[in-house]
Amino acid sequence: MTASIERLALPLGGTGKGSGTPGDAPGGPWMVVARMPGLAALHEEALAGMLARVAETDPEGPDHPMRVGRIGGILAAEFGLDAGQCDLLARAATLHDVGKLALPADVLCHRHVLDPAARREMERHTVLGAALLAYAAAPWIRLGALIALTHHERWDGSGYPDGLSGEEIPLAARLVAVADVYDALRSERPYKDAQDHEEAMRRILDGDDRISPGQFDPAVLAALRRRAPEIARLPR
Ligand SMILES: [Fe+2]
Ligand SMILES: [Fe+2]
């Protein structure tokens, strides 16, 4: 793991709780790609096509991945991460839902609240995303794999796929989790209206029938409060 993504990716080395994390042990798959620059470039090219497809089909809208990246980068700055690390996080966060590409079309393009079986299928986008990205050499994609895997884990342990809690969850994923929910609330979907900034903030900080503030890292919520004016001004 390169120094620049070290803090964002902590804790690394797999969670020991099931799905695991793409590893970079000597001889592991990432190292193989790193030794074959042509293959790595091909992987990035394929990835660009996949991202465009996710953007086209995701009910949260084509700009959702970029906005989650920008908000995640703003929150990261509140943690004292330098500009390079904030940029790295912003890029990597755009990959958070790339695993949705591997889902059946009827689950991906849903136009209603999912039933329990479809929801379980949808939850697989975390491990599928990590698997799609696991062979990359570029640090931003490696961080993207970790975010794809862990962005639905929750501070209180109620998330998926591994039920991680607290600081077991990589910092990058704790930042993206808040950015993702904020942007989803602000977005219109086939089955719900878009909320304005104040209402989105209220639902995250106070909770509603689907969101509990306990699912988020309290330090990230404090960062969200401090940077709220800047986030409210982001173009939509
Ligand atoms: Fe997701
Ligand atoms: Fe998302």
Side-chain angles (χ1 to χ4, degrees), residues 60 64 96-98 100 122 125-126 148 151-152 160 180:
E60 282 164 308
H64 170 73
H96 70 280
D97 277 337
V98 77
K100 287 183 179 175
M122 177 64 97
H125 78 277
T126 52
H151 70 285
H152 287 290
Y160 62 88
D180 191 24

Side-chain angles (χ1 to χ4, degrees), residues 160-187:
Y160 62 88
D162 287 330
L164 303 181
S165 62
E167 293 188 355
E168 288 180 321
I169 305 166
L171 174 59
R174 285 180 263 144
L175 294 163
V176 170
V178 171
D180 191 24
V181 170
Y182 172 85
D183 194 71
L185 285 167
R186 299 289 319 273
S187 304

Side-chain angles (χ1 to χ4, degrees), residues 69-227:
R70 287 190 71 178
I71 297 167
I74 291 169
L75 297 175
E78 278 297 302
F79 277 71
L81 296 169
D82 65 31
Q85 290 177 316
C86 293
D87 285 350
L88 189 72
L89 177 77
R91 281 190 85 192
T94 63
L95 302 173
H96 70 280
D97 277 337
V98 77
K100 287 183 179 175
L101 260 184
L103 295 175
D106 58 328
V107 175
L108 178 60
C109 303
H110 67 100
R111 293 285 178 269
H112 48 80
V113 177
L114 294 170
D115 64 37
R119 173 140 298 281
R120 279 194 298 279
E121 185 76 6
M122 177 64 97
E123 289 179 358
R124 294 179 61 237
H125 78 277
T126 52
V127 288
L128 293 169
L132 280 171
L133 303 173
Y135 295 92
W140 75 279
I141 303 179
R142 293 165 64 179
L143 186 60
L146 191 70
I147 291 170
L149 183 66
T150 55
H151 70 285
H152 287 290
E153 299 288 359
R154 294 179 171 181
W155 186 257
D156 61 12
S158 65
Y160 62 88
D162 287 330
L164 303 181
S165 62
E167 293 188 355
E168 288 180 321
I169 305 166
L171 174 59
R174 285 180 263 144
L175 294 163
V176 170
V178 171
D180 191 24
V181 170
Y182 172 85
D183 194 71
L185 285 167
R186 299 289 319 273
S187 304
E188 188 179 337
R189 295 199 205 172
Y191 50 87
K192 74 161 193 71
D193 295 330
Q195 312 296 325
D196 64 20
H197 168 76
E198 282 73 25
E199 178 63 13
M201 291 293 289
R202 192 193 65 72
R203 289 186 185 219
I204 291 172
L205 297 173
D206 300 338
D208 65 10
D209 56 336
R210 298 178 67 190
I211 298 168
S212 157
Q215 73 190 61
F216 304 113
D217 179 347
V220 179
L221 292 185
L224 179 72
R225 268 199 203 90
R226 287 193 296 271
R227 301 301 283 264

